[in-house]
Amino acid sequence: AQSVTQLGSHVSVSEGALVLLRCNYSSSVPPYLFWYVQYPNQGLQLLLKYTSAATLVKGINGFEAEFKKSETSFHLTKPSAHMSDAAEYFCVVNTNAGKSTFGDGTTLTVKP
Amino acid sequence: EAGVAQSPRYKIIEKRQSVAFWCNPISGHATLYWYQQILGQGPKLLIQFQNNGVVDDSQLPKDRFSAERLKGVDSTLKIQPAKLEDSAVYLCASSELGLAGGYNEQFFGPGTRLTVL
């Protein structure tokens, strides 16, 4: 069985500050890992995904995530937060067949 | 390219009534998912179709929920009878069929917000 834990249901940062959203997973096989984002009044969309080609994955809007097998983590970061980054972020682990398990999400608030 | 379409966007019903949701995936996407997202939680997979066959329905409450995907395109999710705890957003998503299914991105519809009174 696979599971995802997102540490911190709410994260608040100032504009220009570092964004760090934490995700730990458990999976019995090498994982397929994703971050999805849901902006206010919009549907879920892919931010980035881990494809095993590189442990540091770059996504849209300046976000990146690093896969650390020893720590079973896939934390999401952005060096400098923008007001438009305010959204809910979900960490997801997939099986080989594409069955997804979502974390409970982290709501990011960006203060001016 | 048109995205995943869902209807209705909002539905309010009383407990013990029936309700149905419709989803039209992106053209050519073989895999279709239905999720339930309760407020404050992440989406939970209810059922996954590949073409018109069920891949996974282990978390579908089969005593009241049913889903079908006729002809491997559109899909309908039904709840009969509804309970208060079914109040949630119901999301439909689709993805391409590939050898490495785990890598495939899912494309989500806007969801249907169900309120059961």
Side-chain angles (χ1 to χ4, degrees):
Chain A
Q2 56 191 25
S3 65
V4 178
T5 302
Q6 291 185 238
L7 298 174
S9 58
H10 291 85
V11 170
S12 181
V13 301
S14 297
E15 193 172 19
L18 171 72
V19 175
L20 171 60
L21 305 183
R22 299 178 186 272
C23 171
N24 288 89
Y25 68 91
S26 69
S27 176
S28 57
V29 296
Y32 303 85
L33 294 163
F34 302 75
W35 277 97
Y36 283 83
V37 60
Q38 188 167 30
Y39 297 105
N41 301 313
Q42 296 186 31
L44 282 157
Q45 59 183 280
L46 181 69
L47 196 58
L48 51 80
K49 65 180 180 182
Y50 169 66
T51 62
S52 77
T55 57
L56 184 62
V57 181
K58 294 187 184 299
I60 61 172
N61 300 334
F63 283 92
E64 60 184 35
E66 187 171 9
F67 172 66
K68 292 187 176 181
K69 184 178 179 179
S70 61
E71 298 177 8
T72 61
S73 69
F74 191 55
H75 301 330
L76 181 70
T77 60
K78 181 174 180 177
S80 176
H82 192 273
M83 297 296 290
S84 61
D85 295 327
E88 188 161 21
Y89 293 80
F90 293 94
C91 183
V92 180
V93 59
N94 273 14
T95 66
N96 288 336
K99 176 183 176 181
S100 298
T101 300
F102 281 71
D104 281 337
T106 298
T107 300
L108 175 66
T109 301
V110 182
K111 299 174 292 186
Chain B
E1 175 182 87
V4 176
Q6 289 188 249
S7 67
R9 291 295 309 277
Y10 304 91
K11 190 73 176 179
I12 300 174
I13 62 173
E14 296 193 349
K15 60 183 179 183
R16 292 188 289 273
Q17 286 187 321
S18 302
V19 65
F21 312 126
W22 173 82
C23 173
N24 186 13
I26 291 173
S27 177
H29 280 192
T31 307
L32 185 146
Y33 309 80
W34 282 103
Y35 291 90
Q36 180 192 58
Q37 186 175 16
I38 293 172
L39 187 65
Q41 300 180 17
K44 182 184 80 172
L45 179 68
L46 292 175
I47 189 166
Q48 178 184 349
F49 292 96
Q50 191 150 296
N51 296 309
N52 58 351
V54 175
V55 174
D56 189 310
D57 64 356
S58 57
Q59 299 188 95
L60 186 74
K62 299 180 184 65
D63 58 332
R64 298 186 299 107
F65 285 65
S66 64
E68 60 182 9
R69 189 183 184 195
L70 300 176
K71 301 181 181 179
V73 182
D74 292 10
S75 178
T76 303
L77 176 70
K78 296 180 181 177
I79 307 175
Q80 180 180 8
K83 293 185 176 181
L84 296 177
E85 59 261 36
D86 297 331
S87 293
V89 175
Y90 290 84
L91 297 168
C92 179
S94 69
S95 68
E96 296 178 341
L97 176 64
L99 293 177
Y103 284 145
N104 288 342
E105 172 186 358
Q106 292 180 43
F107 294 82
F108 286 83
T112 297
R113 184 176 298 276
L114 173 67
T115 302
V116 182
L117 303 175

